[in-house]
Amino acid sequence: MPLKNIAVFVDVSRASLVRATYAISLALRYHAHLVGIFVVPLGWTHDPSASFIRGRNAIGALIERQRTQEVKATATASERFESAAGREGISFEFRMIRATDTSDDALFHSLHADLVLVGHPKPGGLPDDWSAESMLLATGVPVLIVPNSWNAGTIAENILVAWNTSREARRAIADAIPLLLRARTVSIIVVDAHMNARHGQEPGADIALYLSRHGISVTVEQVRSDGRSIARAITDHALTVGADLLVLGAYSHSRSREALFGGVTRSLLQTAAIPLFIAH
């Protein structure tokens, strides 16, 4: 399915501007409609002393001060997003979510997107009680995580796909096809294939053939971890091939539905210096 509706969670940080620029570039590339979503921060969360204020006048003044802060933050986020998106002439809109209604509203706005962009580490523009993990679990919409430290460069032009024959990896690849079709290079990495009989006689060959039938030319690289973690092996290879996006399935061996991100995914979130496209 083509990318026609993209959502990006924004805030007033420098990292948010990079994230928004990334989303704008994708919207421009795919002629997609872009929605900037801003979670209005509660003023009192940044002023612990406010909980000690007493008296009607003092409380009234505090509420007014917090309301002013919220309006100012919303105006700043809106101006920055609309200015950046407006320069590119794309179809876009800015939406705000009040912190008191974040869960339902964040879910609502994300369900109608083909792709959701967030930052990392938390909150990355999301409500304080949400994460990329909870977003995936609640919506099923693929999430593109842009590290707060990401220095804007090429965008989804050199894509690395982590393949381990899992259902989740297969889902991620299918959801990422619009991105893969427009990439300059697509590489598939298979780590420690000798430890997974499901790869068959030629690990990575079948998924490469699947993608080739979609018109995507790929290369396959079989890598041994050699004492490294799987995440480290993937990250090292991403740096070697100059990848600017990593596609992987969010999976875990835990029986708990809340533990969606397994060890490899969590490690990649902690160490990866490039954006991650994650699906489940």
Side-chain angles (χ1 to χ4, degrees):
M1 183 174 65
L3 297 179
K4 289 302 178 183
N5 297 281
I6 299 173
V8 56
F9 280 82
V10 299
D11 50 49
V12 294
S13 67
R14 178 189 174 280
S16 173
L17 184 58
V18 174
R19 190 186 320 136
T21 300
Y22 196 110
I24 290 166
S25 296
L26 289 180
L28 187 63
R29 181 180 301 176
Y30 296 100
H31 305 288
H33 180 72
L34 179 63
V35 179
I37 305 173
F38 176 66
V39 179
V40 182
L42 288 173
W44 64 266
T45 60
H46 304 290
D47 185 10
S49 64
S51 60
F52 297 101
I53 291 179
R54 298 292 183 271
R56 179 178 298 179
N57 291 338
I59 292 174
L62 172 64
I63 292 174
E64 184 60 31
R65 187 163 63 249
Q66 292 173 348
R67 184 179 294 116
T68 299
Q69 292 173 353
E70 293 170 6
V71 170
K72 181 179 179 181
T74 302
T76 299
S78 174
E79 180 181 353
R80 289 179 180 178
F81 174 76
E82 293 180 357
S83 176
R87 285 195 298 269
E88 300 299 337
I90 63 172
S91 171
F92 70 91
E93 62 183 289
F94 178 85
R95 300 178 185 175
M96 56 173 282
I97 299 176
R98 298 195 177 279
T100 52
D101 303 315
T102 52
S103 294
D104 288 343
D105 282 357
L107 174 62
F108 174 80
H109 294 303
S110 302
L111 277 172
H112 303 96
D114 299 315
L115 179 65
V116 176
L117 281 79
V118 303
H120 183 80
K122 290 181 62 177
L126 289 169
D128 289 338
D129 58 345
W130 271 57
S131 65
E133 187 172 9
S134 57
M135 180 73 70
L136 272 171
L137 191 64
T139 68
V141 177
V143 174
L144 201 159
I145 302 172
V146 183
N148 290 348
S149 59
W150 171 248
N151 293 317
T154 57
I155 293 178
E157 292 186 8
N158 303 299
I159 302 178
L160 179 63
V161 178
W163 176 241
N164 66 352
T165 73
S166 69
R167 170 201 173 279
E168 291 81 7
R170 167 64 177 77
R171 178 74 268 159
I173 289 173
D175 286 343
I177 281 179
L179 295 171
L180 300 176
L181 280 167
R182 297 292 295 271
R184 286 197 301 109
T185 66
V186 178
S187 305
I188 294 175
I189 180 174
V190 180
V191 181
D192 292 339
H194 62 286
M195 299 178 64
N196 185 352
R198 293 175 62 183
H199 279 297
Q201 293 184 344
E202 190 57 41
D206 290 328
I207 196 66
L209 180 60
Y210 163 79
L211 289 174
S212 72
R213 288 173 176 155
H214 281 276
I216 302 167
S217 178
V218 305
T219 59
V220 178
E221 186 74 24
Q222 299 177 30
V223 175
R224 287 181 178 266
S225 58
D226 291 332
R228 297 170 295 174
S229 67
I230 301 298
R232 184 74 261 171
I234 293 173
T235 300
D236 288 347
H237 191 72
L239 294 173
T240 298
V241 299
D244 58 13
L245 181 66
L246 174 60
V247 173
L248 70 155
Y251 61 94
S252 171
H253 296 299
S254 171
R255 294 182 180 180
S256 170
R257 293 183 73 248
E258 299 302 322
L260 180 61
F261 287 177
V264 173
T265 313
R266 290 187 186 280
S267 294
L268 285 168
L269 282 172
Q270 293 171 3
T271 62
I274 63 174
L276 307 177
F277 178 101
I278 302 181
H280 177 68

